[in-house]
Amino acid sequence: MKNLDNKICIIGLGYVGFPLAIEFSKYYKTYGFDVNKTRISDLKNNLDKTGEIASITIKESDLNLTSNKDDIKSCNVFIITVPTPIDESKKPDLGALRSASEFVGEIIKPNDLVIYESTVYPGCTREECIPLIEKKSKLKLNKDFLCGYSPERINPGDKVNNLKNITKIVSGSNEKALNMVDKLYSKIVSEAETFKVSSLEIAEAAKVIENTQRDLNIAFVNELALIFEKLNINTKEVIDAAATKWNFLPYKPGLVGGHCIGVDPYYLTHKADISGYSPEIILAGRKLNDNMGFYIAERVIKLMISKSIIVENSNILVLGLTFKENCPDIRNSKVIDVINELREYNTNIDIYDPWVDDKTVKNVYGLSLSDSSCFNKKYDSIILAVAHSQFLEIKLEKITHDRSVIFDIKSVLPNNRNLNIYQL
Ligand SMILES: NC(=O)c1ccc[n+]([C@@H]2O[C@H](COP(=O)([O-])OP(=O)(O)OC[C@H]3O[C@@H](n4cnc5c(N)ncnc54)[C@H](O)[C@@H]3O)[C@@H](O)[C@H]2O)c1
């Protein structure tokens, strides 16, 4: 039976908001709101283009989908899951968060609860978002309405770790808010626990450091890969050997793209900067990770030259464009850096990615994708950029010649003595 005390509205139905809305709709009367009318109409037709929720699940759900403000005015809990990207100068772009906050400010009533899930820097909810709600609504925090922050930790494409079984950090603007947020999320996190923290800022900081730590760990192994290339030793073998020690963390080198790991550290460094501390380690890690695409392209070119392949007009196949495996998300894909750098050498590049549609790639990056006819060609070099499971089935010997360079960025290809496979 549904709990009728709360009527929930999720604002922003993307990778985070839509699965959350589906989960909440099992226990509460729930609305899903998005400004993108196409997204709403796709979802109403049971199509989730993020690939997170199956059509049948959408069809059978009780979720009410809308772009209409009037439909959600009677809700008493608003959960904001809008994007928090960075701008061109790598500063937080709070545009969507501000506009969603003002929007909520226009509709909330006394005693309502607003919860933020978008990733931000510590202090953002209290300093940037709540004042906008107060200004629009003329209501006062903790007197007239309550606020919570509960960061999202889902990992798109991951069918093992999901909303139900990931511990959910919860926080509130006061004790009452904390308990309300905790009670709400305890329902949906049915196979894990909620974890109460003492302030909105602790919860915000916890989320942003999770991703910053991952970014730095990868930056460290990326730096090792650069060093070991100079020393002519295999990075993977070194890491596998070191990983036999109980406290060594076996991170893999690679590209760090997407809208989380490569973005969130800048939220933290922005806040550090305006607080009077200039972060060095975090930014050094970011710089190194941001340069990996160019490094990989140059390494491939050098390997081709070492095999006496004429680089100009050579044929290169790039396998995968998304920022991670088994997921259609191409936001901030660093594979683009590899492609752009290879283009500088006048190479002919085919890009194949069965997870993304040609139209989206054209709109976002101005690139055309190849279809499976690329498997009838022979390439001088193949770059495995993303570890989509389909790629492991490709018969590489059929699309290469005896000098072709195969660069396995993700270190997932099995050892094959008949192929020239290189890794980071
Ligand atoms: N995707 C992830 O893996 C992930 C994981 C954890 C946390 N996060 C964080 O969650 C937040 C959302 O990320 P996402 O990946 O779901 O983003 P997304 O781009 O997939 O979805 C955001 C949705 O919000 C809608 N939107 C934008 N502005 C709006 C507004 N003012 N009102 C209503 N709807 C609006 C967009 O149309 C879009 O459908 C970000 O802060 C992100 O950093 C993402």
Side-chain angles (χ1 to χ4, degrees), residues 16 52 79 105-106 118 121 134 155 172 210 249 319 324 328 332 337 363 385:
V16 165
E52 290 299 297
I79 303 181
E106 286 164 16
S118 300
Y121 52 79
E134 289 184 322
N155 182 23
E210 284 168 20
L249 302 173
L319 291 172
K324 65 182 287 197
N332 190 28
D337 294 346
N363 283 343

Side-chain angles (χ1 to χ4, degrees), residues 13-245:
L13 300 178
Y15 281 87
V16 165
F18 187 55
L20 189 71
I22 289 282
E23 220 39 54
F24 268 118
S25 72
K26 295 176 186 166
Y27 305 97
Y28 303 95
K29 174 97 177 150
T30 305
Y31 287 79
F33 175 91
D34 203 292
V35 282
N36 182 341
K37 292 196 166 69
T38 316
R39 175 74 173 152
I40 291 293
S41 106
D42 281 351
L43 294 177
K44 280 188 171 171
N45 289 320
N46 305 319
L47 170 67
D48 174 17
K49 282 193 173 159
T50 68
E52 290 299 297
I53 305 290
S55 295
I56 183 76
T57 312
I58 308 177
K59 198 169 167 197
E60 289 174 357
S61 89
D62 244 356
L63 179 65
N64 305 283
L65 294 157
T66 185
S67 290
N68 185 347
K69 189 169 151 187
D70 291 336
D71 292 342
I72 57 171
K73 278 184 173 162
S74 62
C75 292
N76 65 320
V77 177
F78 298 91
I79 303 181
I80 297 179
T81 52
V82 298
T84 46
I86 46 172
D87 64 18
E88 280 180 3
S89 55
K90 303 193 191 300
K91 294 276 176 242
D93 172 356
L94 299 178
L97 200 61
R98 287 198 176 108
S99 101
S101 301
E102 287 181 336
F103 175 76
V104 167
E106 286 164 16
I107 49 179
I108 59 162
K109 308 166 295 308
N111 302 321
D112 284 357
L113 170 67
V114 186
I115 304 170
Y116 288 86
E117 285 223 9
S118 300
T119 308
V120 290
Y121 52 79
C124 182
T125 303
R126 201 180 298 277
E127 292 154 15
E128 298 292 332
C129 303
I130 292 171
L132 293 173
I133 301 178
E134 289 184 322
K135 192 171 168 200
K136 279 279 170 194
S137 65
K138 311 272 185 290
L139 300 177
K140 272 266 154 250
L141 179 70
N142 292 342
K143 182 170 160 278
D144 305 311
F145 74 98
L146 298 172
C147 187
Y149 181 84
S150 180
E152 190 48 69
R153 294 163 137 176
I154 56 147
N155 182 23
D158 185 339
K159 301 294 174 220
V160 178
N161 302 299
N162 57 48
L163 250 173
K164 283 194 230 174
N165 64 20
I166 303 173
T167 299
K168 194 93 171 87
I169 297 175
V170 290
S171 69
S173 53
N174 63 14
E175 195 64 24
K176 188 175 171 197
L178 173 63
N179 289 331
M180 279 176 77
V181 177
D182 185 54
K183 203 169 157 201
L184 280 171
Y185 282 99
S186 296
K187 274 272 183 224
I188 61 162
V189 184
S190 49
E191 295 163 24
E193 304 280 307
T194 53
F195 186 87
K196 286 182 175 179
V197 296
S198 62
S199 69
L200 303 173
E201 288 74 12
I202 300 275
E204 292 167 321
K207 168 68 194 182
V208 81
I209 68 156
E210 284 168 20
N211 285 352
T212 304
Q213 182 186 66
R214 186 163 171 78
D215 193 38
L216 278 172
N217 278 322
I218 300 171
F220 172 63
V221 286
N222 274 340
E223 185 150 72
L224 297 180
L226 305 189
I227 296 169
F228 294 148
E229 190 220 336
K230 300 261 174 240
L231 304 183
N232 210 12
I233 48 182
N234 183 288
T235 309
K236 183 174 182 300
E237 255 191 273
V238 178
I239 290 174
D240 287 348
T244 58
K245 192 183 174 203

